Amino acid sequence: MRRPANTRSRSGSWRRALFSALVIGAIVIPLSAAARPEIPAPPPAALAPLTPATLDEAYVANRADAAEASRMAAADGDDRRAAVDRAMADPDRDFLAFDGRGSGQATEVFGDLAHADRVAVLVPGSDTTLDTYDRFRATALNLHRQLTRDAPNSRTAVVSWLGYATPRTVSTTVLTATRADQAAPRLRQFIRRLHTVTGGGAHITLVCHSYGTVVCGRAAPALTTPDLAVSDIALVGSPGTGADSVAGLHTRARVWAARGADDWVADVPHVSADLFGTTVGFGIDPMSPAFGAHVFAAGDGGHSDYFSPGSASLANLARIVLGDGSEVTHA
């Protein structure tokens, strides 16, 4: 249900005021990692190079690592993290990567990756950590289920890529590309590994949400060679990519953009400014005609609703992943 116009107006004013306060904070407060007590966990498992033949070995090793991380977190008195890690050690779950230290990172697979010819890689936005991973996982599950319903005979897989330290929503780091610049080489490396696993024949779609669109924008220029190629880049709930246009992303992929009618990110000024040596903001709105993306319908949802079952955005994202661009509905 959409909020009344006057409520949206008040919310927009509040959000713009918050943005202004954060800009001031970005000038006077040094950028730093989110405060999080260090959680004891083993280092990531040492894995053989990923290939179809080593996938199961990687899954087993990462589940064992998660189980050990759970034991260590429990011994340290962190029952919440222990429960999260324990769930990730479930034998029915498949992780290409797992790191239980600090805020944590994980890369989970849904579907038969080794035989997939269509792969969606989800890149999350702010406040995504192991402690909040379940909600990110739910987006991947919903997309995988939609793909299975829409094309039951297709070979698809979805990967939830929490491969970087995301910023907090209310922080100075969320206003700069610092975390995205750190994440982009990791994402490019991961895409290269995916091509190795799938034999280089899979169509890969990046599905980027919120601050994750900044990460994808930073990674895009390198995703053009055969071992790094992506077919499509979908930007949802984007504060901007740091580029002035699709051409500025220097990518051969088709670039899509969507925003729900009730997404608060519409109230964030799409500007970019250099303030005392720090670039704040991410520039032009990807929904703008001047940006040049293929804009698709996302319905009336809010910032966290793009992957909700039954939503226009989820249906369209599935069509993009499946290569059914002509079936995508437009705003």
Side-chain angles (χ1 to χ4, degrees), residues 22 36 64 74 111 123 138 144 148 179 185 190 193 197 199 221 229 231 254 295 297:
L22 287 174
R36 180 67 167 94
V123 181
H144 187 247
T148 301
R179 297 290 177 89
F190 178 68
R193 294 168 70 197
V197 171
S231 302
R254 287 177 297 180
V295 175

Side-chain angles (χ1 to χ4, degrees), residues 3 16 21 30 35 49-50 104 106 128 133 148 161 169 176 208 215 225 243 258 280 284 290 299 318:
R3 294 176 295 173
R16 285 189 290 272
L50 277 179
T128 308
Y133 179 79
T148 301
W161 184 79
T169 297
T176 76
C208 320
V215 175
T225 59
V280 178
I284 191 169

